[in-house]
Amino acid sequence: MDIASLTAAGLGKKIRAKEISVVEAVRASLDRIDQVEKDVHSFVTIDREGALKRAEDVQKQIDDGRLTGALAGVPVAVKDNICTKGMPTTCSSRILENFHPAFTAEAVRNLERGGAVIIGKTNMDEFAMGSTTETSYFGVTRNPWNLEHVPGGSSGGSCAAVAAEECPCALGSDTGGSIRQPSAFCGVTGIKPTYGTVSRYGLIAYGSSLDQIGPIAKDVTDCAALLEVIASRDPKDSTSIDRSIYVHRQSKGPDSQESFKGGQPAGYDFTSALVNDVTGMRIGIPRDYFGEGLDGEIKEKILAAVRVLEERGAVAEEFDLSLVPYAIPAYYVIASAEASSNLSRFDGVKYGYRTQDYEGLHDMYKRTRSEGFGEEVKRRIMLGSFVLSAGYYDAYYMKALRTKALIKQAFDQAFARYDVIVAPAAPTTALKLGHSLSDPMKMYLGDIYTVSANLAGLPGISIPVGTDSKGLPIGMQIIGDCFAEKKIIRAAYTLEQTRAYERPALAKNASKVQEHGADDRQRKEAVQRREAVQRKEAVQREGGAV
Amino acid sequence: MANKISDETIEYVGILAKLELSQKEKENARADMEKMLDYIDILNELDTEGAEPLSHVFPVYNVFREDVASQEDGSEDTLANAPVKKDNSFKVPRTIG
Amino acid sequence: MAKQYETVIGLEVHVELAAKTKIFCSCSTEFGGAPNTHTCPVCTGMPGSLPVLNKKVVEYAIAIGLAVNCDIARVCKFDRKNYFYPDNPQNYQISQLYLPIARNGYVEIETGDTKKKVRIHEMHMEEDAGKLIHDEWDDTSLVDYNRSGVPLVEIVSEPDMRSADEVIAYLEKLCTIIQYLGASDCKLQEGSMRADVNLSVREAGTERFGTRTEMKNLNSFKAIARAIEGERERQIELLEAGKAVIQETRRWDDNKEASYNMRSKEDAQDYRYFPEPDLVPVVISDEWIEQIRARQPELRSEKLERYKKEFDIPQYDAKIITGSRHMADIFEKASAICGKPKKVSNWLMVETMRLLKDHGMEPEEISFSPENLAKLVNLTERRMINSSVAKEVFEKIFAENVDPENYVEEHGLKMESDTGALEEVLKKVIADNPKAVEDYHGGKEKALGALVGQTMKAMKGKADPGMVNQKLREML
């Protein structure tokens, strides 16, 4: 059996059924990492010893019934901008090389409470600024579908790790598309939740008003399960929202057949939306998202997917979502401004890198930051500092916040009519390595379909809908109204039931090699396990306490 | 309208952001910023009159903590990553005064 | 004739609030402790940490805002003020610029016989910075974040003051109000109250304001007075020499009695304020304001009015006593117990003030209980002890808060009430001092004093001098 190819839910089930031990599950991940990491380079830190030790502990808790959740014993990778106590957290930046956080992010604590095993920290664009994972200080991550291509970004490491089956699922973060775009590029599924759904406590901020942590996995079921575990109202994050009291608004289309209607709390039971039925669901197709600039093959595959949903009972309709061209400029003003402030704490005083030679305080600041930050980060800090500076604040920052308000209104109007909106996740499939960095503007424009959801706080999911002629995956984005995760999960799940999960050749090949090597060991371990169970039963028969 | 960023502005923003750019980096920064600002200027086409600047997406308010103190000594964790420390404090180049 | 100049002064006053915990985390605000012990990821700017607002801070701010006659904002928000300095762990301070919690207030001040209103432009909440200690040994600075995140309000006045006297009257007024509210102890020396002085000069009679400077690092009323005088002179000299005053921040060095410009090329003073995305707005309802208003203690001016009606004590005494809420509390409680406000007031005005001065203490530091003061008043009223014994006992009360009844009992200080015994002693004194008796009869009133003194000495002080006096006259 190839453990690495299982989904998180599938693996969890086998672990609970005692078919696979937690140590085996973790070892399968580590073995796969050993095989493919030199090519893919998804990870910044791999915690072999910690993960194996934790696996034994989790196994005990599963055995004595303390851990019963869907993710108990499942290995998870965490993007390296999410704090983990006991593991360095670097944001893929020189300035945080060897930074050891004193606390664990709330989302990761939720994972740990659910029994997941954190196996390592994944590579990313430095401070999540970028769409290719090429701005990492620790080197690029390659796309498992084609090593010449980027995995997308900024959560490129997490998405590549899942696609290469180095772990069944991972956490990413999404400020302007950083979960959805690399998910599309790597042929996996990722959700950016409604702003406030997952605590940001422990997420190293890029654009605080836009950042959200979200799940990345091989399918919708895993994403829903993972989201169910990580989402919580956290008193440590003032912007986190209690979804159990937040009432969702009713779309005013013809009465839909959905279980999830307006007037009900948004809730945390995301897996309840794993229903293969979209009868009556109203789908909006924004014309502006399918015009010029979109790769023809992507357009074709997405519209074909919409037709599949229509066949399953959904009602699709084109409409004009206004203000699309204004989203990127508004986004870059807001995100850069917030970033310039958020990243000012990296100064060589309290943690992280400090330059060797300096004369006086300000020289220390400047050298530390100039040597510690990469080019793209500096570019955005400069832009952000400029747009906030005296005389420009109103023209840029306030203007962007007003634009944001109008974009939110445009979505409000759209969701008064549609349950979900479909969109591409990116204008192209994964580009070749080195292609984007030469022209930052071009890279920024690639975020056109994703940034609006961040500006308006909306949930979005990216799911694979096939590959292009180069054999690279195509992702479709489904955007929901705020707190309407269940609608997008339902739509994505229904679509997913119509097609099989496609694995990159790299993963398939690795599987074959791994199966050969693992066969002997697995057989041996299976015997040992059987014997252990027999011993335990024998003791129980004799009335001894276990 | 093409934006022109002066050397002084790049210098000034460098002081604000505490970044020291080489001559080449300054040139690049200037070119990048001009290009970005030209692009951002399309926002001027948009009539935002009457739109309240939206900072928080959701109308959430009054999230508070109660005034109850935790008595833990945080100094060990606080100083654990310090590049340079002395006497339980962070050590920095001399400040004014 | 030389030109006449008018000084125009506005104040920015920072007050540390008496909350138990910091403004955005649950670290203690207590003074002391080794460096960085009262810290956590939030108040040291650790990556990934987030602020959560302390409700008590908002309530103190509302209370102060109401007490200084401000309009309380129905919606207020926090903003980030960006600047690099090591005492500021995030390199931004969370403050309020665009929607502060209170606006448009005033306080009334009195200098000499003139009363005047000083208007308050606005008041906002913010976090304090850490402390920098200069290490002379290797010429570096050491950063301690124990004070980082301590809650502050900043009260910004209009440029309504014209002299150091007015500034000090304004500060004293704010201080009393805030102390009465229990919102801060307002100690200038310890930094729980800090004032930055914005000062400009203009030719007398002109309307337009001159260019102002801001002065920081003023740690006492004396330093403030000196700094105002110094800066006034500096600016007038500049103007007289035909030079311009530059708008800048200056640091006052009280030892050198001079200020110098704080700004360097690296401090652009462009704070790039923008709305704090990590905190949500504070919405203040009428109900909330009314709740706080209802809990508001009686302020000094109200107390003064009431004292005028309720207690027969001089206006001057009432002012001194109500100058400290603590002293006023002692006064009211002791008066209620013994029913002799005038006597209580005397003890506070004379002996207490003297002892405070001798020990270099503030009225806030009085540690005796009103109960013991009331008992002392009763002991003297009932002529159980005489006044010199009472003073001696009071010193014990002041120092150790002793119970005067027990103390008098234990030390045998009660007055001798046996007139037989007194008469015996008097007889003896008269017999032993024929010269004095003769002088008295010869019309020298002074001689009587000597005889009283002899008697008191013989009685070991435990006689009532009035009674001795009276008896002596009778017997002579």
Side-chain angles (χ1 to χ4, degrees), chain A residues 98-100 102 194-195 209 233 238 241 246 323 325-326 328-330 332-333 348-352 354 358 360-362 364-367 369-370 378-379 381-383 385-386 389 396 398-399 401-406 408 439 441 444-445 455-457 482-483, chain B residues 3 5 9-21 25 28-29 32-33 35-37 39-60 63-65 77-84 90-95:
Chain A
N98 295 321
F99 172 66
H100 289 263
T194 304
Y195 187 78
S209 69
R233 157 78 187 115
S238 309
I241 284 169
Y246 212 97
L323 307 175
Y326 305 109
I328 290 180
Y332 275 96
V333 169
V349 173
K350 300 149 301 252
Y351 35 74
R354 183 191 281 196
Y358 49 88
L361 180 68
H362 290 285
M364 189 276 278
Y365 281 153
K366 283 185 161 187
R367 285 174 189 245
R369 289 166 59 80
S370 302
K378 285 191 258 189
R379 198 184 343 256
I381 291 176
M382 290 289 282
L383 179 68
S385 302
F386 177 77
S389 68
Y396 291 111
M398 291 304 269
K399 183 81 185 176
L401 288 188
R402 289 182 209 278
T403 306
K404 179 183 172 186
L406 294 178
K408 172 112 177 74
D439 187 357
M441 268 310 297
Y444 299 161
L445 293 175
L455 288 171
C482 26
F483 305 104
Chain B
N3 284 275
I5 300 288
T9 301
I10 291 290
E11 196 75 30
Y12 177 72
V13 176
I15 287 172
L16 292 181
K18 296 282 173 247
L19 289 173
E20 189 174 54
L21 305 182
E25 281 178 313
N28 289 343
D32 288 343
M33 212 185 283
K35 231 198 274 181
M36 248 340 253
L37 293 175
Y39 180 57
I40 289 167
D41 278 346
I42 67 165
L43 289 180
N44 295 330
E45 297 168 3
L46 185 64
D47 180 10
T48 53
E49 198 62 32
E52 274 299 302
L54 184 67
S55 184
H56 290 91
V57 200
F58 303 124
V60 176
V63 176
F64 297 123
R65 259 181 46 240
D77 280 347
T78 293
L79 291 155
N81 286 287
V84 192
F90 298 98
K91 189 162 146 175
V92 297
R94 190 183 169 89
T95 55

Side-chain angles (χ1 to χ4, degrees), chain A residues 123-171:
Chain A
N123 199 17
M124 54 187 276
D125 282 298
E126 185 182 3
F127 282 102
M129 297 179 186
S131 331
T132 63
T133 313
E134 290 170 295
T135 68
S136 165
Y137 177 67
F138 304 109
V140 301
T141 295
R142 289 162 188 274
N143 193 319
W145 287 81
N146 184 331
L147 297 174
E148 300 289 297
H149 288 250
V150 300
S154 64
S155 310
S158 288
C159 294
V162 171
E165 296 169 0
E166 293 173 289
C167 54
C169 59
L171 296 190

Side-chain angles (χ1 to χ4, degrees), chain A residues 200-354:
Chain A
R200 291 188 296 117
Y201 195 82
L203 170 65
I204 300 180
Y206 160 23
S208 313
S209 69
L210 309 164
D211 295 341
Q212 265 294 285
I213 292 173
I216 295 157
K218 285 196 278 269
D219 65 15
V220 180
T221 304
D222 280 5
C223 279
L226 200 51
L227 186 56
E228 204 161 286
V229 171
I230 61 174
S232 63
R233 157 78 187 115
D234 180 7
K236 296 186 295 306
D237 174 2
S238 309
T239 64
S240 117
I241 284 169
D242 187 351
R243 293 176 60 102
S244 63
I245 54 168
Y246 212 97
V247 173
H248 173 254
R249 136 185 69 193
Q250 171 85 58
S251 301
K252 283 199 198 89
D255 193 32
S256 75
Q257 296 298 303
E258 283 196 278
S259 59
F260 180 59
K261 302 217 174 178
Q264 285 171 5
Y268 292 92
D269 52 334
F270 301 103
T271 50
S272 71
L274 296 167
V275 178
N276 184 7
D277 182 11
V278 288
T279 314
M281 183 181 279
R282 295 177 58 87
I283 299 173
I285 306 167
R287 277 188 205 96
D288 325 53
Y289 280 178
F290 290 87
E292 207 184 328
L294 178 63
D295 181 285
E297 288 183 275
I298 295 177
K299 180 177 177 176
E300 193 185 301
K301 283 273 161 45
I302 291 176
L303 293 179
V306 172
R307 279 195 295 278
V308 170
L309 286 173
E310 283 180 300
E311 283 160 22
R312 311 281 306 168
V315 184
E317 178 180 286
E318 285 190 7
F319 76 107
D320 290 314
L321 176 68
S322 56
L323 307 175
V324 173
Y326 305 109
I328 290 180
Y331 168 80
Y332 275 96
V333 169
I334 293 168
S336 302
E338 290 181 6
S340 73
S341 174
N342 284 331
L343 270 60
S344 60
R345 70 186 65 204
F346 304 104
D347 61 359
V349 173
K350 300 149 301 252
Y351 35 74
Y353 175 77
R354 183 191 281 196

Side-chain angles (χ1 to χ4, degrees), chain C residues 19-182:
Chain C
K20 291 187 196 73
T21 65
K22 294 184 177 181
I23 183 167
F24 300 124
C25 63
S26 51
C27 288
S28 167
T29 53
E30 247 171 73
F31 264 102
N36 291 300
T37 46
H38 299 299
T39 60
C40 75
V42 177
C43 57
T44 57
M46 288 292 161
S49 67
L50 294 170
V52 184
L53 180 59
N54 182 346
K55 189 175 185 184
K56 191 80 197 168
V57 171
V58 182
E59 294 186 333
Y60 276 140
I62 295 173
I64 296 172
L66 290 172
V68 298
N69 307 299
C70 280
D71 301 330
I72 304 299
R74 289 308 188 266
V75 178
C76 76
K77 290 180 183 174
F78 285 91
D79 302 292
R80 284 192 192 173
K81 179 181 182 180
N82 294 284
Y83 65 96
F84 278 80
Y85 211 59
D87 62 3
N88 173 6
Q90 304 159 114
N91 288 319
Y92 58 78
Q93 180 195 30
I94 304 179
S95 180
Q96 298 190 293
L97 178 72
Y98 297 108
L99 287 172
I101 188 159
R103 273 184 172 142
N104 299 331
Y106 67 89
V107 294
E108 224 164 345
I109 60 165
E110 252 174 272
T111 43
D113 292 332
T114 40
K115 283 189 181 180
K116 151 173 200 181
K117 271 185 186 177
V118 174
R119 291 167 300 153
I120 288 164
H121 179 70
E122 58 104 349
M123 182 185 81
H124 61 261
M125 301 176 276
E126 62 185 26
E127 55 181 340
D128 205 348
K131 211 166 76 182
L132 290 166
I133 298 152
H134 303 296
D135 187 343
E136 300 302 335
W137 182 253
D138 56 4
D139 200 32
T140 55
S141 296
L142 300 177
V143 195
D144 169 12
Y145 290 124
N146 280 348
R147 304 309 293 162
S148 163
V150 167
L152 301 176
V153 288
E154 179 174 343
I155 303 166
V156 182
S157 84
E158 297 288 355
D160 285 354
M161 287 158 277
R162 297 292 175 267
S163 67
D165 284 350
E166 288 186 1
V167 167
I168 287 163
Y170 169 74
L171 284 170
E172 281 177 338
K173 182 80 187 215
L174 278 186
C175 196
T176 321
I177 291 173
I178 295 167
Q179 283 174 351
Y180 261 81
L181 294 171

